[in-house]
């Protein structure tokens, strides 16, 4: 199924998603950014969700839904109970990174089972100082600011039951902030599947 009805679209690859199954490897891309022992020690198979790539003219909700349909089907076939990847945020400074971290903490988006600290090479300078500053609790204007920094697609992941792995890492290669993000397969079973069928 495709987002348009042009005959030329029938054999066109519009988007891809890099997937990495624990049934096939114990080497994961995100292990370069995060200490992932707690996640990898959980029972069941795991599936790493890498970066998506969608042709510019097809970047819409239909193609995204179709990609998620493929992820759902592959995770079911590999019996993957835990899916994980990174959500990238384009922030300007360490203060905003700590602000987001505190915001997600107050929204109870962390769980001890999945805590995964950044590797030393990917820790942000002065992060602990800003984290201590925000520990008093966020003011309303600070919460509003944090919400404005969250990409729309990531807000959708949160509504589908996504959790975060803890303190974010600074990705020097892409100049962005990465939050380790965890989804359980059962949370995809209904919402994403219905959305995918709507685009079929």
């Amino acid at each position: 199924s495709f987002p348009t009805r042009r005959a030329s679209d029938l054999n066109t690859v519009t988007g891809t998603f890099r997937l990495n199954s624990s049934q096939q490897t114990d080497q994961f891309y995100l292990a370069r950014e995060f200490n992932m022992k707690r996640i990898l020690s959980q029972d069941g198979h795991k599936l790493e969700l890498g970066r998506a790539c969608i042709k510019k003219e097809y970047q819409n909700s239909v193609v995204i839904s179709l990609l998620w349909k493929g992820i759902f089907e592959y995770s079911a076939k590999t019996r993957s109970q835990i899916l994980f990847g990174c959500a990238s945020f384009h922030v300007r400074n360490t203060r905003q990174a700590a602000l987001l971290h505190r915001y997600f903490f107050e929204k109870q988006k962390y769980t001890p089972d999945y805590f995964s600290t950044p590797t030393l090479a990917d820790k942000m300078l002065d992060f602990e100082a800003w984290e201590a500053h925000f520990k008093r609790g966020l003011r309303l204007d600070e919460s509003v600011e944090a919400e404005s920094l969250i990409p729309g697609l990531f807000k959708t992941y949160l509504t589908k039951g996504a959790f975060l792995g803890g303190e974010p890492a600074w990705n020097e290669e892409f100049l962005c902030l990465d939050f380790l993000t965890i989804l359980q397969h059962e949370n995809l079973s209904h919402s994403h599947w219905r959305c995918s069928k709507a685009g079929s």
Side-chain angles (χ1 to χ4, degrees):
S1 299
F2 299 88
T4 68
R5 296 182 179 180
R6 295 177 300 179
S8 61
D9 286 331
L10 295 179
N11 294 311
T12 299
V13 176
T14 59
T16 64
F17 215 121
R18 185 183 65 211
L19 303 177
N20 205 10
S21 172
S22 64
Q23 288 192 21
Q24 299 172 342
T25 183
D26 58 1
Q27 302 295 312
F28 297 100
Y29 174 83
L30 285 179
R32 291 182 280 176
E33 285 190 84
F34 297 96
N35 301 306
M36 300 181 57
K37 289 183 179 180
R38 287 198 178 185
I39 291 179
L40 298 180
S41 66
Q42 300 290 320
D43 292 335
H45 300 303
K46 291 89 180 174
L47 183 65
E48 181 180 46
L49 310 183
R51 295 187 181 276
C53 182
I54 302 174
K55 284 188 175 181
K56 186 175 182 180
E57 63 269 31
Y58 293 97
Q59 292 178 4
N60 55 58
S61 60
V62 175
V63 171
I64 292 173
S65 294
L66 289 171
L67 286 176
W68 273 106
K69 177 179 179 179
I71 291 170
F72 174 87
E73 291 179 344
Y74 187 78
S75 64
K77 288 181 179 179
T78 57
R79 300 186 303 280
S80 299
Q81 298 177 20
I82 297 175
L83 293 75
F84 63 88
C86 77
S88 297
F89 292 67
H90 293 283
V91 301
R92 293 188 297 272
N93 50 54
T94 307
R95 175 191 170 277
Q96 290 182 334
L99 175 66
L100 282 165
H101 178 59
R102 185 65 197 183
Y103 175 84
F104 290 133
F105 179 84
E106 292 187 357
K107 294 297 182 180
Q108 299 181 327
K109 292 302 178 181
Y110 296 122
T111 176
D113 289 342
Y114 301 137
F115 278 165
S116 303
T117 58
T119 61
L120 289 177
D122 294 297
K123 287 182 69 69
M124 298 187 75
L125 295 176
D126 300 326
F127 184 88
E128 287 79 8
W130 278 110
E131 184 180 32
H133 172 76
F134 288 123
K135 266 190 175 178
R136 70 189 192 290
L138 297 183
R139 303 189 307 265
L140 177 59
D141 62 306
E142 291 171 332
S143 293
V144 171
E145 179 186 356
E147 290 174 359
S148 72
L149 296 171
I150 304 173
L153 184 59
F154 187 69
K155 291 179 180 179
T156 300
Y157 295 165
L158 294 177
T159 66
K160 307 306 181 186
F163 282 95
L164 301 178
E167 179 184 333
W170 176 249
N171 190 319
E172 185 66 30
E173 181 180 2
F174 292 97
L175 299 179
C176 63
L177 190 72
D178 287 344
F179 277 94
L180 182 62
T181 306
I182 303 101
L183 281 164
Q184 292 189 341
H185 176 78
E186 61 188 30
N187 290 334
L188 296 178
S189 300
H190 301 293
S191 55
H192 279 118
W193 181 246
R194 287 199 302 268
C195 182
S196 295
K197 280 191 173 295
S200 297

